[in-house]
Amino acid sequence: MRKIYLVPALVGLLTFVATGPVAAQGAVPKQKAAQAPKAAAAGAAPAAGAPAAATTEAPSAGADDKAKSIDGFRSAKFGMGEADVRAAMIKDFNAKPDAIKAQDNASELTHSILMSVPELLPNGGTAELSYVFGYKSKSLIQVGAVWSKGTDAAITPEKLFSNANILRAHFMGEGFKPDSIAVNMPVAGGIVMFRGSDAKDRSVILLLQGTFENKENNQRVLTPTSLLLFYVADAKSPDIFKLPPGQF
């Protein structure tokens, strides 16, 4: 079973994304990540060879009317207890109770429940969903979805790129705070395809992970191995165990 070590990593990721473009010049995906994101057709793959670049979206007329509010994922809402989240998972995915597995994180002292979901994204393959409960609150603080060979043996790098492009295009039209939006940001071990926050700083992060190869013209080319999607209640100050100051 995949170990869930998600919450603290997102704090550094959000910080790095804010300053990443200069440090990551020359990194490119194997398929082009559009500088001005447009709706991508399912299964359509961009052309190869163009540099990944940070992009922010300017506010549009009426943006306040469609401002995004991130309150969880589908019927599972931030702040819910485990019993309510399990009920939401069963409702959302017509799942059997024994399909939901539990897992504890010994370092963060958080608790997670996980479930495999075929076609979470239409034609996207099987994903694994994880619902993370906070150390102190014992309530839902994060929902994650992962697509990889570990979740679906038939998934391919091309499918991961396609899934990432479809989700990025969707999120770009969702009304996130314009100054919080970043796309196509190279980071260690992958590319942040999308990052955005709502008015309460609850965040969505879409991360394409893989291995980079150095190619001609000083370009680094990414071969994706997994796609990670996070819905996070508080990425800057997550409800996880931390040693009190002065103990060591």
Side-chain angles (χ1 to χ4, degrees), residues 166-191:
I166 291 167
L167 287 167
R168 180 187 58 193
H170 168 74
F171 290 134
M172 286 302 300
E174 282 289 277
F176 291 90
K177 287 194 305 182
D179 62 357
S180 76
I181 294 174
V183 300
N184 306 343
M185 296 289 300
V187 295
I191 297 174

Side-chain angles (χ1 to χ4, degrees), residues 18-51:
T19 60
V22 175
Q25 285 181 353
V28 299
K30 269 194 173 177
Q31 298 172 331
K32 181 179 177 182
Q35 289 187 337
K38 299 179 181 179

Side-chain angles (χ1 to χ4, degrees), residues 80-119:
M80 278 185 172
E82 182 174 346
D84 288 336
V85 172
R86 284 177 177 268
M89 295 166 72
I90 292 169
K91 172 187 174 183
D92 289 342
F93 304 107
N94 194 28
K96 295 181 179 180
D98 60 4
I100 302 172
K101 309 300 181 184
Q103 179 177 299
D104 292 323
N105 186 308
S107 59
E108 297 172 4
L109 300 186
T110 54
H111 176 71
S112 302
I113 52 178
L114 304 91
M115 182 176 67
S116 292
V117 180
E119 306 301 319

Side-chain angles (χ1 to χ4, degrees), residues 43-140:
T55 305
T56 56
E57 183 78 354
S60 58
D64 290 342
D65 296 334
K66 60 173 186 176
K68 180 68 174 179
S69 178
I70 305 164
D71 58 0
F73 181 66
R74 300 196 183 180
S75 299
K77 307 302 182 184
F78 294 137
M80 278 185 172
E82 182 174 346
D84 288 336
V85 172
R86 284 177 177 268
M89 295 166 72
I90 292 169
K91 172 187 174 183
D92 289 342
F93 304 107
N94 194 28
K96 295 181 179 180
D98 60 4
I100 302 172
K101 309 300 181 184
Q103 179 177 299
D104 292 323
N105 186 308
S107 59
E108 297 172 4
L109 300 186
T110 54
H111 176 71
S112 302
I113 52 178
L114 304 91
M115 182 176 67
S116 292
V117 180
E119 306 301 319
L120 178 66
L121 179 68
N123 300 313
T126 297
E128 182 182 68
L129 284 175
S130 60
Y131 298 74
V132 182
F133 300 90
Y135 160 58
K136 292 182 179 179
S137 67
K138 311 301 181 188
S139 63
L140 186 66

Side-chain angles (χ1 to χ4, degrees), residues 24-28 30 211-223:
Q25 285 181 353
V28 299
K30 269 194 173 177
T211 56
F212 281 104
E213 298 175 78
N214 291 321
K215 298 294 184 180
E216 59 184 20
N217 299 324
N218 198 33
Q219 291 186 338
R220 297 175 64 218
V221 177
L222 178 71
T223 299

